[in-house]
Amino acid sequence: MAAVREGTYVADLVGGLGERALARLLPLRDAAGGDDIFLIQASTSLEKLKILCKEDEENVNPSTLIKLYTQAILDMTYFEENKLVDEDFPEDTSLQKVKELIAILSEPEVVVKESSLHPKHSDMLGPELLECLYWRRGALLYMYCHTVTAREEGQSKKRDVLKKCLIDGISYLLKMFTFRCPLHLNEEVSFQDTDTAKLLSEGIFSDTHLLATMYTGEMCYWGLKYCVNEEPENCDIDTNGPGTSSTLLKESLEFREIGEKILRKYISICEGPLKGQAWNTTNAKKILNFFQHCHH
């Protein structure tokens, strides 16, 4: 009976979020001409979610509902993120838009946290969806910071905001690596493909994982170059959500230490098991050199 009550609670909560997402989606579809594949997929998922949330209590599967909602917002926000990138993150509006998207991508974990069905997010969402949620938030902040640092004013204005975005982005990307255990290599286990085994032992399960290491290294570089002496002030953005650390945000992130460690890992992988696979290490080596000679 308790499980049924909890399932009904989750259905009501996710159903409300689904209705709100659908209201956000409709004008996006109209603006896109109704033919964007990601918005179509999001719409299909939200319509299915709407039907499932109205089923009898005994048939409600909270995990299915949350996963369906998560996939819908991943598709919908992907369209919105691409639009931001295409528009080169407009100065007057992009900060608020980034905040909105990160809040939306944090909602699935908020629902799980408010539910007493599962003590861990991974039990209800699964590691792949969680990795995707953290990757998308981290990559969004990476792209925003990339644009800001490329502008002249980004080097002198609102550095407190830039620093917080960098710290949150790094936190999201590092958290992405915590949901699956790296393969443990030992002499008792043999592998036909030693390169693949090496990748799995390093926690690299996809191209996205490897790209996340490079993104993290670049953000550490921007943090050390532009923000290392800046103390966070009253920011007009709050990207706090599941995966960011309030303790970390109150302290100065060790940009150099984290950056050096993760870029060495990136270079080792690209020039080791992925040698000849077109992964470029030139920029990573330049950043490492900067870390080693910077006297901040």
Side-chain angles (χ1 to χ4, degrees), residues 4-278:
V4 170
R5 286 198 302 270
E6 191 64 37
T8 303
Y9 169 76
V10 172
D12 290 341
L13 184 57
V14 177
L17 291 173
E19 291 287 350
R20 193 172 70 186
L22 195 56
R24 184 185 183 95
L25 176 67
L26 293 177
L28 294 176
R29 285 198 64 177
D30 291 341
D35 59 354
D36 182 85
I37 183 62
F38 293 101
L39 294 183
I40 292 173
Q41 290 174 175
S43 180
T44 301
S45 296
L46 290 172
E47 291 293 346
K48 184 177 180 181
L49 178 68
K50 188 175 181 179
I51 295 172
L52 290 176
C53 285
K54 293 180 179 179
E55 286 192 352
D56 294 337
E57 294 178 352
E58 291 79 5
N59 295 323
V60 171
N61 185 326
S63 181
T64 298
L65 299 181
I66 292 176
K67 287 179 178 179
L68 194 57
Y69 174 70
T70 300
Q71 191 57 61
I73 64 170
L74 284 170
D75 286 330
M76 180 178 70
T77 55
Y78 186 72
F79 170 83
E80 294 185 84
E81 288 171 24
N82 283 338
K83 191 170 184 293
L84 271 178
V85 173
D86 290 342
E87 295 172 350
D88 199 26
F89 287 91
E91 293 183 49
D92 296 337
T93 59
S94 63
L95 196 58
Q96 180 60 29
K97 187 70 174 180
V98 167
K99 175 183 176 181
E100 290 175 7
L101 293 176
I102 287 178
I104 292 172
L105 290 167
S106 298
E107 285 173 349
E109 288 178 277
V110 173
V111 173
V112 174
K113 185 176 180 180
E114 293 182 0
S115 167
S116 61
L117 283 177
H118 296 277
K120 295 191 301 182
H121 297 163
S122 56
D123 292 337
M124 190 173 266
L125 282 167
E128 290 186 3
L129 275 180
L130 280 169
E131 286 176 351
C132 192
L133 287 168
Y134 279 90
W135 159 251
R136 289 283 299 281
R137 283 174 285 182
L140 174 60
L141 286 169
Y142 166 85
M143 290 184 289
Y144 172 76
C145 293
H146 184 279
T147 302
V148 170
T149 55
R151 294 171 180 156
E152 287 186 11
E153 63 269 28
Q155 299 177 21
S156 58
K157 293 182 180 179
K158 295 186 177 180
R159 290 194 182 182
D160 53 336
V161 176
L162 174 61
K163 182 175 182 178
K164 188 176 189 307
C165 288
L166 288 170
I167 290 175
D168 283 358
I170 291 167
S171 298
Y172 283 128
L173 293 178
L174 292 179
K175 182 72 173 179
M176 173 188 165
F177 289 94
T178 66
F179 300 110
R180 281 190 269 185
C181 295
L183 180 68
H184 181 65
L185 301 179
N186 57 63
E187 296 179 356
E188 298 177 0
V189 181
S190 60
F191 300 93
Q192 291 184 334
D193 188 340
T194 55
D195 285 341
T196 298
K198 177 63 175 176
L199 290 172
L200 298 179
S201 72
E202 293 285 353
I204 304 298
F205 297 94
S206 67
D207 287 354
T208 303
H209 287 84
L210 186 57
L211 192 57
T213 64
M214 187 62 209
Y215 278 11
T216 301
E218 286 187 86
M219 285 194 285
C220 286
Y221 164 70
W222 297 329
L224 189 61
K225 185 174 182 179
Y226 300 124
C227 309
V228 73
N229 295 320
E230 299 291 329
E231 291 300 325
E233 300 171 6
N234 294 323
C235 302
D236 56 353
I237 181 173
D238 181 9
T239 58
N240 273 347
T244 57
S245 168
S246 58
T247 302
L248 184 64
L249 296 176
K250 292 177 183 176
E251 301 171 354
S252 177
L253 183 67
E254 296 295 336
F255 291 115
R256 188 201 309 269
E257 181 180 348
I258 293 174
E260 282 190 354
K261 181 177 180 180
I262 203 156
L263 286 180
R264 290 186 190 282
K265 178 176 181 175
Y266 172 83
I267 293 170
S268 173
I269 291 170
C270 293
E271 296 185 348
L274 291 181
K275 186 176 182 180
Q277 299 298 314

